[in-house]
Amino acid sequence: MGRLFWKFFLCIFLAQLTATVGIGGTIWLQNRARMHASGPVLDSSPPAQMALDSAAATLKFGGTGALRGLLANMQRHHLFAVDELGRELLGRQVEPAMLAQARAIWQQGARQRAVREMNAVDGHRYLLFLPSIGHQHDGPPPGRKFHPLVPLAAAILVSLLFAALLAWYFSRPIRDLRLAFEAASGGDLAPRFPDARRGDELSDLRRDFDRMTGLLRSLLDAQTRLLHDVSHELRSPLARMQAAIGLAQQQPDKATTWLARIERESVRMDKLVDQLLTLARLEAGALNAGHEEISMADLIDALVEDARFEAAAQQGRIELVGEADVRVIGQAELLARAIENVVRNAIKYSPVGAGVELRVESSAQHWQISVLDCGPGVAACDLEAIFQPFFRAGGESTEGHGLGLAIAQQVFKAHRGSITARNRSAGGLCMTMTLPLAPAS
């Protein structure tokens, strides 16, 4: 259960608790009011009867003076002695309803339980009785009235307050999210919630929204940059082709030379389009990795043979260190093309006469090859950027279109592998490619 659940639960629990207390208090006050409305109840318990018997005996044998002293010293009971004129012996205020109830009980014959009536030597006749314990101290003070609906109204108001707070707490971020989605649908992908600190699922949702818009912004920027780079890469060979066509028209005797130039530029354009299509299919997942088992030893041997032939043109050499006769699952043509792109880059950037080293090794779960060259290396800030399409570490003067490493990265991703770059301490670049091994049959 998430944090949002507990906030809902706590708010609803507090609202229910407040309503329960209010309703319970209302019922209790109504019962109290009903008890007072029905008139006082006299105490007929055994202790009360003992107190009445003691007071009656005191009045009978000691007179009103002795009874007055007894009543004044009573701590536990609140016994009243009222004469036939309605005067209480100690001058205390007696509720008319209580006195009427005592007289009614005496007239009904329940004399030995709650009421005593005795004749005093001064000629007065006194009615002795005790109110019940609940009526001796309960009840609101005189002059103060408390309506029983007040707690219920208070409970309703507090519940409404909790409901309003809950609605405000959750409606505000939802409203902000709605406005953010409207802005995003209109093309505004700027961050909206940099300070989302609520600590619940809605805060996580707002952070996810910012991450989503950030990713969309990056994708749109990459798309714009890609269109710019593609148009730039196509403009140069098209301009050269147009120039060659114009020269061929002006110099018909050299038409063969200009046609050869046009052919080279068309080949370059065809290669560029082929690389773009391959990259687009890899990024879209249209080119799957395949399910064939590939012998990496055979693949590397064939690749090294071709690379040595190419390196010999600039008096370079290819050194293969290590051997790993293992198998991986994938598409041999894609893997060969990706590794070949890396090796060709190493040959191209290595100085004349320098060597390129290929280190092959394997573990229980992975196969790995590292390509080490003696070239100028790459700026530390560009080690990740070299895998972006059309990025060239050497600037515009560098040959090629800057798509080889981007294609290689997508190929290894499709094969659940990885490719990384780092600068060597002795100079040059080290490209490390890793692939998972095929499961043992």
Side-chain angles (χ1 to χ4, degrees), residues 280-295:
R281 290 172 181 172
L282 285 170
E283 289 180 343
L287 294 179
N288 55 46
H291 301 285
E292 61 177 318
E293 283 196 2
I294 305 169
S295 172

Side-chain angles (χ1 to χ4, degrees), residues 412-432:
F412 279 95
K413 280 185 178 180
H415 287 79
R416 296 180 294 112
S418 63
I419 177 172
T420 58
R422 64 176 178 84
N423 286 312
R424 302 174 60 189
S425 57
L429 193 67
C430 174
M431 302 287 293
T432 302

Side-chain angles (χ1 to χ4, degrees), residues 252-310:
D253 55 325
K254 297 182 179 180
T256 304
T257 302
W258 304 127
L259 286 175
R261 181 67 180 186
I262 293 172
E263 182 181 8
R264 286 199 303 271
E265 296 301 334
S266 65
V267 169
R268 291 188 61 185
M269 291 180 60
D270 180 70
K271 183 178 179 181
L272 172 61
V273 172
D274 178 65
Q275 288 180 331
L276 285 172
L277 289 174
T278 302
L279 181 62
R281 290 172 181 172
L282 285 170
E283 289 180 343
L287 294 179
N288 55 46
H291 301 285
E292 61 177 318
E293 283 196 2
I294 305 169
S295 172
M296 296 308 295
D298 295 341
L299 186 146
I300 295 300
D301 288 341
L303 189 147
V304 168
E305 182 179 353
D306 294 340
R308 282 174 176 164
F309 179 79
E310 186 174 342

Side-chain angles (χ1 to χ4, degrees), residues 206-225:
R206 297 200 290 183
R207 285 194 295 269
D208 291 341
F209 176 84
D210 272 351
R211 282 196 293 269
M212 179 192 70
T213 54
L215 179 59
L216 288 175
R217 196 164 56 251
S218 299
L219 291 175
L220 289 176
D221 292 343
Q223 184 183 32
T224 302
R225 187 171 59 252

